[in-house]
């Protein structure tokens, strides 16, 4: 039996990068980034992408692999991550998954449902309709054809609404019905264990989120978004532009809201993202919890990782 694959997860601003730097002082790790925003080239400040120094010190994978005009699915992530795990282990190094996109973790650990692949033409049509009607109207359309799926989605959950409508238009069958008929999933190829960085006081994490976003503005995030905004091939229907912290500044550049409003909305949206991340993590009973607000959080991660990898080696 091979050693378990370690995942460092947690909400935004929990200190995941500091933990990976601490781990790199003890083991030959290579990081597989689990993040649906850092995949995009030219989106560096607002995604808190690892610095050049960090990348030189520790190999990072799945960064800058897509143009912002392109999409990247959980299925593609799963394929890429499993390939990378094998390649890293073949080099004699330790693969370490780190990031906050919980859908990617779920796809990796639980496998994928047998649903139709993304269809660019259908998605482009849905994006065009959403630009004219708004996502709440698209949500109402979904409720008419797939009420079960619509009931669990918020009216502005554009990515999931788009996917459910795409599946219905491609197959003529509601996504919920296809999921109910899904076959049993294959057993995962690896054992994945999660060290979860979680705050003992959510208000302190909220303040961290505020301060980090304000620092991003100081570092030039608005200029970064403005460069994307000038591109004629980018629009608010794309996953890249919908990233938290970007879409609010995009609305400002479109003249819809003031810059102070955009900043406050971005901070609020980031806090909501952190809440969703924590909700998912707390549903995982086998995780190892480390208080991300502790002064020695990174050292606790190192100690937990050492126990996991030592136990895995002992059973090989």
């Amino acid at each position: 039996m091979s050693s378990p694959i370690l995942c460092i997860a947690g909400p935004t601003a929990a200190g995941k990068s500091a933990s990976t730097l601490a781990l790199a002082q003890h083991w030959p790790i290579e990081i597989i980034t689990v993040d649906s925003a850092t995949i995009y080239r030219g989106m560096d400040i607002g995604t808190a992408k690892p610095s050049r120094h960090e990348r030189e010190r520790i190999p990072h994978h799945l960064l800058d692999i897509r143009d912002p005009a392109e999409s990247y699915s959980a299925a593609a992530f799963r394929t890429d991550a499993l390939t990378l795990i094998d390649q890293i282990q073949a080099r004699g190094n330790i693969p370490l998954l780190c990031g906050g996109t919980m859908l990617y973790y779920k796809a990796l650990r639980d496998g994928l449902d047998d649903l139709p692949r993304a269809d660019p033409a259908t998605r482009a049509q849905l994006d065009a309709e959403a630009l004219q009607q708004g996502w709440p109207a698209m949500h109402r359309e979904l409720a008419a054809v797939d009420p079960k799926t619509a009931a669990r989605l918020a009216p502005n959950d554009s990515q999931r609404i788009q996917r459910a409508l795409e599946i219905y238009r491609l197959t003529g069958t509601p996504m919920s019905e296809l999921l109910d008929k899904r076959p049993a999933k294959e057993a995962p190829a690896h054992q994945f264990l999660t060290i979860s960085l979680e705050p003992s006081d959510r208000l302190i994490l909220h303040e961290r989120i505020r301060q980090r976003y304000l620092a991003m503005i100081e570092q030039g995030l608005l200029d970064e978004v403005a460069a994307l905004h000038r591109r004629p091939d980018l629009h608010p229907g794309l996953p890249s532009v919908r990233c938290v912290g970007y879409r609010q500044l995009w609305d400002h550049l479109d003249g819809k809201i003031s810059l102070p409003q955009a900043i406050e909305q971005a901070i609020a949206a980031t806090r909501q993202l952190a809440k969703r991340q924590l909700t998912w993590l707390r549903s995982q009973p086998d995780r190892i919890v480390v208080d991300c607000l502790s002064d020695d959080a990174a050292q606790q991660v190192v100690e937990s990782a050492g126990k996991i990898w030592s136990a895995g080696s002992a059973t090989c």
Side-chain angles (χ1 to χ4, degrees), residues 40-289:
Y40 293 115
R41 295 185 287 272
M43 295 175 59
D44 303 326
I45 298 172
T47 64
K49 200 171 287 180
S51 67
R52 178 174 296 180
H53 172 71
E54 289 172 321
R55 295 192 225 183
E56 290 173 350
R57 185 173 175 183
I58 315 170
H60 284 71
H61 303 278
L62 303 185
L63 294 176
D64 298 328
I65 60 171
R66 289 291 186 275
D67 182 84
E70 300 173 324
S71 61
Y72 187 66
S73 66
F77 168 79
R78 187 174 193 273
T79 298
D80 290 344
L82 290 174
T83 299
L84 283 165
I85 287 171
D86 291 341
Q87 292 174 347
I88 292 167
Q89 290 179 329
R91 288 192 285 271
N93 292 335
I94 300 173
L96 177 71
L97 289 123
C98 182
T101 299
M102 303 310 165
L103 178 63
Y104 286 4
Y105 280 121
K106 186 177 188 302
L108 191 60
R109 294 175 57 145
D110 301 340
L112 293 163
D113 297 300
D114 189 17
L115 297 174
R117 292 182 177 272
D119 181 74
T122 303
R123 290 199 167 188
Q125 178 61 36
L126 289 166
D127 284 336
E129 293 174 18
L131 283 174
Q132 290 184 337
Q133 305 172 31
W135 285 107
M138 304 299 285
H139 183 264
R140 290 192 292 273
E141 178 183 333
L142 178 63
V145 298
D146 188 355
K148 185 175 179 180
T149 298
R152 64 180 178 81
L153 299 181
N156 285 307
D157 192 345
S158 55
Q159 195 162 356
R160 291 179 176 85
I161 293 169
Q162 181 193 60
R163 178 60 174 153
L165 284 171
E166 175 189 38
I167 288 170
Y168 180 77
R169 293 189 183 185
L170 289 173
T171 67
T173 304
M175 183 173 76
S176 57
E177 184 176 330
L178 292 174
L179 292 175
D180 288 341
K181 296 178 179 177
R182 60 189 161 184
K185 295 177 181 177
E186 296 180 5
H190 301 276
Q191 179 190 12
F192 295 96
L193 294 179
T194 300
I195 297 178
S196 180
L197 290 160
E198 301 175 19
S200 53
D201 186 333
R202 193 173 292 185
L203 292 179
I204 295 178
L205 180 67
H206 284 182
E207 182 57 24
R208 272 193 186 182
I209 289 170
R210 167 178 283 277
Q211 293 303 323
R212 188 169 82 154
Y213 194 75
L214 293 177
M216 289 174 176
I217 295 294
E218 289 293 323
Q219 292 162 17
L221 178 56
L222 183 58
D223 291 337
E224 182 172 277
V225 179
L228 299 171
H229 191 265
R230 287 192 292 268
R231 286 182 48 171
D233 59 334
L234 301 183
H235 56 81
L238 292 168
S240 59
V241 179
R242 293 201 299 263
C243 286
V244 169
Y246 283 82
R247 66 174 179 260
Q248 293 81 12
L249 293 179
W250 192 283
D251 285 346
H252 163 65
L253 293 169
D254 276 345
K256 296 178 180 178
I257 54 177
S258 68
L259 180 57
Q261 287 175 319
I263 291 172
E264 290 305 314
Q265 288 182 17
I267 292 169
T270 307
R271 288 170 175 170
Q272 285 298 312
L273 171 61
K275 180 180 178 180
R276 293 193 299 273
Q277 291 169 320
L278 284 168
T279 297
W280 188 86
L281 284 167
R282 288 168 179 165
S283 71
Q284 308 303 306
D286 59 345
R287 76 196 192 284
I288 299 168
V289 178

